Amino acid sequence: MSPAGKKFDYAPAPESRAILDLKPSYGLFIDGQFVDTLDGRTFKTVSPASEEVLAEITEAGQADVDRAVAAARKAYDKVWSKLPARERGKYLFRIARILQERARELAVLESLDNGKPIRESRDVDIPLVAAWFFHYAGWADKLVARPLGVAAQVIPWNFPLLMLAWKIAPALACGNTVVLKPAETTPLTALLFAEICQQADLPPGVVNIVTGAGDTGRALVEHPGIDKVAFTGSTDVGKMIARSTAGSRKKVTLELGGKAANIVFDDAPVDQAVEGIVNGIFFNQGHVCCAGSRLLVQESVHDEVIRKLKRRLTTVRVGDPMDKNTDLGAINSAAQLDRIREMSGIAEEEGAERWSPPCELPSRGFWFPPTVFTGVAQTHRIAQEEVFGPVLSVLTFRTPQEAVAKANNTPYGLSAGVWTDKGSRILWMADQLRAGVVWANTFNKFDPTSPFGGYKESGYGREGGRHGLEPYVTLGDVQ
Ligand code: NAD
């Protein structure tokens, strides 16, 4: 505090946009070139922090999707599947190095289009993107399995370039070619990635990027010319894709929603656990499929944990994603903000107690303060449904058995966290929890060597590590 009693504040530390070469409009990336649409329309992508229009984007129609699939097929048959595997690996290494060289540009563009803090895109998203390409580049010449052919890949808006890397790196390493559709609110880094493919001299047609919304995605996954569907997104759309591909020979992987339990036992180091709770739900504005959105805290330490959590949340800085001091950026879209508001309203109506730290939100753009609901019951919708925003539900338990029963009581099963001093309890809990990933005394840790994926309505298939190769190969003959 200053002598006058006023709190010192951080000076603004904005990251410059000067490094970007944003074009007013973008075509589709097909057969190694940016091309105009044959039958599509256009839409605008905006900065969620200011509602500024960033660029005009093409919404690919059926004829565009046909053309992209044909380009991918030709590249697969004539070039990519014929290349020695080590040559394919060299292209991936080259792309990985260019991603590192252009990391700052990619981070700035990601934060601008998505609304996530520059600190996260700079220190988490983009380094992981490069790591994913390096990892799978190394696999390319170590496989004896055969590729599938053409992969259709559809991704969400929460980690736009990272989800692209999770999809494209293993597909290419295994010898497939791809047509990828980024989410409609965050297409810009995928289009910059297309430029990187040109820079790396990747053979035309190996990577094709078609932009658009749900109709474009549907045209792509239902296309008869593809061999594989890889989808990351909501459980509702995942179910539609499962139905529309059933009975086809397409191999399908679905990475869907989550409602992770972050479980704090009374012997956990409380200050570290509080940091883990904050990281678990407020990282990337809570737009994280594996977010620790349900805090299960042992009854005997509930009051202490909540007191410390609230104190810690008063220091969280919400605001301009381009400011290097920002912890919590903008909500990705007006539609997502509506969903978060609606779910929070329902939680209050159902009897949970709402709390947010005092914070001033910018007047333009899409914003929501960090929010904690205490007194949440298992039956509340806020304890069952994915909010996909900076909203934490707090429940309590008395015994490890009760913690497991409550943690597993959701339709999802993507991830979980356990905070305890006791190693044997960590192992026991990990064994009992129906979740694809269980973090112990940490949360939201990602590594290209580690498989990631869900149980139940969180989907099927694994991405990452050796497991992430399996969805892109066959050990038998290709039909
Ligand atoms: P969404 O399902 O609405 O959209 C995801 C993508 O699918 C977008 O590109 C969208 O244009 C496209 N799409 C929409 N309708 C389609 C259709 N009928 N056919 C084909 N494609 C279609 O999801 P979202 O709101 O963009 O993303 C948030 C969801 O993604 C959350 O539920 C989150 O949990 C999930 N997610 C899961 C993981 C994971 O690895 N499990 C990772 C990130 C996000």
Side-chain angles (χ1 to χ4, degrees):
M1 301 283 253
S2 70
K6 281 188 76 181
K7 238 167 84 182
F8 285 119
D9 210 350
Y10 290 83
E15 173 72 54
S16 166
R17 280 166 60 166
I19 194 168
L20 292 182
D21 176 22
L22 255 184
K23 298 173 180 54
S25 64
Y26 288 85
L28 306 166
F29 185 66
I30 297 177
D31 210 11
Q33 301 293 328
F34 282 94
V35 295
D36 288 338
T37 174
L38 294 175
D39 62 341
R41 293 176 297 208
T42 59
F43 63 99
K44 293 180 171 49
T45 186
V46 302
S47 154
S50 65
E51 298 172 63
E52 169 198 351
V53 173
L54 298 173
E56 197 168 72
I57 305 296
T58 304
E59 184 181 338
Q62 183 69 52
D64 296 318
V65 172
D66 289 347
R67 193 164 45 146
V69 172
R73 173 64 58 196
K74 189 178 79 189
Y76 176 76
D77 288 341
K78 296 207 176 341
V79 184
W80 199 241
S81 65
K82 301 274 190 298
L83 269 187
R86 67 175 180 283
E87 296 301 319
R88 291 200 298 260
K90 280 187 199 168
Y91 281 109
L92 291 176
F93 277 120
R94 196 182 294 169
I95 290 171
R97 284 195 299 270
I98 299 173
L99 286 164
Q100 284 186 323
E101 281 161 20
R102 300 182 70 172
R104 191 158 149 254
E105 191 183 349
L106 289 161
V108 170
L109 190 58
E110 196 75 305
S111 282
L112 197 60
D113 204 17
N114 170 280
K116 65 175 68 199
I118 186 72
R119 212 159 38 81
E120 289 180 8
S121 50
R122 183 194 64 194
D123 298 346
V124 183
D125 293 56
I126 307 305
L128 281 174
V129 168
W132 238 267
F133 274 91
F134 276 117
H135 178 79
Y136 283 106
W139 271 113
D141 63 357
K142 295 168 190 69
L143 301 168
V144 286
R146 304 177 57 165
L148 297 171
V150 177
Q153 307 184 315
V154 178
I155 56 172
W157 43 261
N158 55 344
F159 293 92
L161 197 63
L162 186 57
M163 291 300 104
L164 175 150
W166 283 26
K167 297 273 177 289
I168 291 184
L172 264 48
C174 293
N176 305 277
T177 57
V178 306
V179 181
L180 177 133
K181 191 197 83 64
E184 52 272 37
T185 57
T186 53
L188 291 178
T189 45
L191 294 164
L192 184 50
F193 180 81
E195 288 178 25
I196 288 174
C197 292
Q198 290 179 324
Q199 190 183 344
D201 278 332
L202 189 71
V206 172
V207 167
N208 304 275
I209 310 278
V210 291
T211 44
D215 286 344
T216 307
R218 191 177 321 113
L220 181 57
V221 300
E222 293 181 2
H223 200 285
I226 58 162
D227 305 291
K228 154 82 190 163
V229 176
F231 172 77
T232 297
S234 61
T235 295
D236 284 347
V237 174
K239 285 180 180 173
M240 279 159 53
I241 291 174
R243 279 193 288 269
S244 73
T245 51
S248 75
R249 59 180 177 77
K250 295 171 191 168
K251 199 163 172 173
V252 180
T253 36
L254 301 174
E255 300 280 354
L256 309 175
K259 191 74 196 175
N262 202 359
I263 305 164
V264 179
F265 284 94
D266 60 4
D267 63 342
V270 172
D271 292 335
Q272 283 174 36
V274 165
E275 287 306 311
I277 295 163
V278 173
N279 170 37
I281 184 62
F282 300 114
F283 169 62
N284 201 33
Q285 293 72 247
H287 299 328
V288 183
C289 49
C290 51
S293 53
R294 284 184 303 149
L295 173 62
L296 291 182
V297 56
Q298 199 153 14
E299 210 174 76
S300 49
V301 289
H302 170 271
D303 292 355
E304 181 190 0
V305 169
I306 298 305
R307 184 170 41 80
K308 290 189 164 171
L309 176 64
K310 288 182 174 175
R311 197 177 62 199
R312 173 68 177 81
L313 287 177
T314 59
T315 68
V316 165
R317 301 175 61 82
V318 186
D320 181 6
M322 289 301 171
D323 191 317
K324 291 169 212 153
N325 294 319
T326 293
D327 300 308
L328 203 74
I331 299 303
N332 181 251
S333 64
Q336 188 59 26
L337 182 57
D338 285 348
R339 158 94 185 151
I340 298 168
R341 284 183 175 149
E342 185 195 344
M343 285 301 294
S344 300
I346 292 169
E348 270 182 301
E349 281 164 26
E350 289 189 333
E353 193 178 324
R354 178 178 189 154
W355 179 89
S356 291
C359 67
E360 261 177 52
L361 301 178
S363 54
R364 285 193 68 76
F366 316 126
W367 303 95
F368 200 83
T371 299
V372 177
F373 282 101
T374 47
V376 174
Q378 287 279 85
T379 49
H380 289 170
R381 283 181 61 187
I382 198 90
Q384 292 290 329
E385 295 178 29
E386 191 178 41
V387 178
F388 224 56
V391 179
L392 178 69
S393 307
V394 184
L395 299 97
T396 59
F397 66 91
R398 289 185 180 168
T399 65
Q401 287 78 7
E402 190 187 347
V404 167
K406 285 185 165 168
N408 286 340
N409 182 25
T410 84
Y412 297 109
L414 194 55
S415 65
V418 180
W419 296 82
T420 173
D421 223 12
K422 218 171 166 184
S424 59
R425 184 181 282 154
I426 289 171
L427 296 175
W428 184 83
M429 291 291 291
D431 201 38
Q432 304 291 313
L433 291 167
R434 300 288 292 158
V437 180
V438 179
W439 285 292
N441 293 326
T442 187
F443 210 93
N444 274 341
K445 286 279 182 294
F446 305 98
D447 189 292
T449 62
S450 178
F452 183 91
Y455 284 80
K456 303 192 281 186
E457 291 197 11
S458 293
Y460 40 78
R462 293 290 178 269
E463 293 186 311
R466 197 165 46 84
H467 303 69
L469 297 162
E470 195 274 336
Y472 288 100
V473 293
T474 175
L475 296 171
D477 286 337
V478 182
Q479 306 284 304

